[in-house]
Amino acid sequence: MSYTEKEKNQIFQEEMLPHLDSMYNFAFRLTLDEDDAKDLVQDTYLKAFRFINSFEKGTNAKAWLFRILKNSFINDFRKKSREPSKVDYQEVETFYNSEEFDTEIEATSDLRSEAVQDLIGDEVATAINSLEVDFRIAIILCDIEGFTYEEMSKILDIPIGTVRSRLHRARGLLKEKLSEYAKKMGYLQKS
Amino acid sequence: MMQENDKQEAIHSQPCNCCCIETLYTILDGEATEEQTLQVAGHIEKCLPCYQQYDLEVSIRELLKNRLEKKTPPQDLIDAIRAKIAMIA
């Protein structure tokens, strides 16, 4: 694409900026810090404007922006942030796909939905924030932002099969965390 | 001898592997075919373990959507983005 300056501004105003709310919330859930989230969102929007010619007008701007934000976070932001990643994600994924992990998940199968509903926002936030970042991203994109598997596959640069397995593991872990809170709060019997 | 109802109850309180969690996810994520959805919906009505599983998944999604604090982007962020874009545009 080659847009005129006027078109660039129009696309930016009409198709990019309306996603600011979702972008800021996504950035906050990744960085867990309001100032860092602001920097990340600003950085993403500047990149988006700079590369706006690679965006096809009228296509999925939200997914396009989320992809830039996620890549900025992984490639640039996390390197200089306080919490450097020391985790080999391939290794993490292999572990979470293992049999050993499945038995851990089964322990949470007694979680009851009424107990889950009694949890408050803080506990939900702590549970999701404590997930390893790739799993946290999967839950946010699917369950909070409502992206399809295909959109997630493009945002994350992974095949749809990996989207499915990552979601599966992320949900198992989240259930485990929520179950811990529900137990602590006395909503569930300690097993 | 067991009554028919008791027999049904006994079967249905056993762990059920008939519809795997993966299928439930596919349906709840809106990625299943209509046929798949109808088939599982029909099953869930009759199978307690599957219903509980489904119910739990639905309630976790509600929790994520409704109880997680939604942050409002600060005005200075919006202003800074507009200002920088105006400079490079």
Side-chain angles (χ1 to χ4, degrees):
Chain A
M1 310 294 137
S2 185
Y3 300 116
T4 62
E5 289 306 313
K6 196 183 163 201
E7 282 172 327
K8 280 185 191 174
N9 279 308
Q10 193 189 7
I11 293 170
F12 194 78
Q13 293 291 334
E14 292 174 6
E15 299 194 46
M16 308 284 159
L17 281 182
H19 300 295
L20 187 70
D21 257 51
S22 300
M23 295 278 281
Y24 182 67
N25 278 280
F26 184 40
F28 178 73
R29 291 277 155 234
L30 293 180
T31 59
L32 306 177
D33 179 276
E34 290 184 6
D35 287 329
D36 288 347
K38 271 163 65 175
D39 289 348
L40 183 56
V41 170
Q42 184 174 313
D43 187 46
T44 304
Y45 269 110
L46 293 182
K47 277 185 191 155
F49 190 79
R50 209 165 288 144
F51 298 108
I52 208 156
N53 281 332
S54 63
F55 172 76
E56 196 179 330
K57 201 179 165 188
T59 59
N60 195 335
K62 188 178 173 185
W64 191 74
L65 287 167
F66 266 64
R67 184 167 184 270
I68 301 175
L69 193 147
K70 172 250 160 195
N71 286 340
S72 294
F73 175 70
I74 300 289
N75 300 330
D76 311 330
F77 202 84
R78 213 163 43 171
K79 281 183 194 146
K80 55 186 179 198
S81 78
R82 279 168 264 117
E83 228 183 349
S85 161
K86 295 187 185 102
V87 187
D88 177 334
Y89 291 108
Q90 192 57 51
E91 207 172 278
V92 170
E93 212 134 59
T94 312
F95 169 73
Y96 286 119
N97 280 313
S98 67
E99 292 290 319
E100 191 185 339
F101 183 75
D102 272 341
T103 35
E104 282 176 39
I105 293 296
E106 273 169 29
T108 67
S109 61
D110 63 344
L111 190 57
R112 293 285 173 270
S113 53
E114 307 92 76
V116 169
Q117 282 305 324
D118 285 333
L119 292 168
I120 56 166
D122 281 359
E123 288 138 10
V124 185
T126 313
I128 191 157
N129 293 350
S130 67
L131 292 180
E132 187 271 307
V133 74
D134 280 349
F135 294 131
R136 206 187 318 151
I137 291 175
I139 298 270
I140 295 168
L141 295 182
C142 191
D143 294 347
I144 298 175
E145 295 300 336
F147 284 112
T148 64
Y149 292 169
E150 199 184 336
E151 287 166 335
M152 286 177 70
S153 157
K154 285 179 184 153
I155 294 168
L156 302 174
D157 291 309
I158 53 176
I160 287 182
T162 313
V163 169
R164 283 176 182 275
S165 68
R166 199 171 286 178
L167 272 173
H168 184 110
R169 300 302 159 184
R171 284 168 174 159
L173 282 164
L174 186 66
K175 255 183 266 181
E176 194 178 18
K177 306 266 182 202
L178 291 175
S179 153
E180 276 169 33
Y181 284 113
K183 275 180 188 158
K184 266 189 214 152
M185 305 287 289
Y187 298 132
L188 290 174
Q189 285 198 327
K190 287 189 173 65
S191 55
Chain B
M1 219 177 112
M2 268 180 144
Q3 293 294 308
E4 192 55 30
N5 281 350
D6 292 341
K7 235 190 274 176
Q8 286 286 325
E9 188 61 35
I11 294 164
H12 289 158
S13 51
Q14 294 299 309
C16 172
N17 294 320
C18 45
C19 69
C20 72
I21 189 88
E22 206 68 59
T23 316
L24 283 183
Y25 288 159
T26 310
I27 291 168
L28 287 166
D29 292 340
E31 302 274 345
T33 60
E34 202 178 329
E35 192 191 351
Q36 215 175 1
T37 310
L38 285 172
Q39 197 183 357
V40 172
H43 171 75
I44 284 172
E45 276 177 25
K46 295 182 225 112
C47 175
L48 186 62
C50 284
Y51 174 74
Q52 284 173 336
Q53 184 119 288
Y54 172 82
D55 193 35
L56 176 63
E57 291 303 328
V58 170
S59 93
I60 289 177
R61 273 153 214 259
E62 282 172 6
L63 208 58
L64 287 170
K65 282 219 152 138
N66 306 328
R67 304 276 179 96
L68 206 58
E69 188 199 353
K70 292 208 173 43
K71 301 261 176 198
T72 306
Q75 189 59 43
D76 65 340
L77 171 64
I78 306 163
D79 295 342
I81 293 171
R82 287 190 194 277
K84 292 213 166 174
I85 296 298
M87 270 169 67
I88 57 172

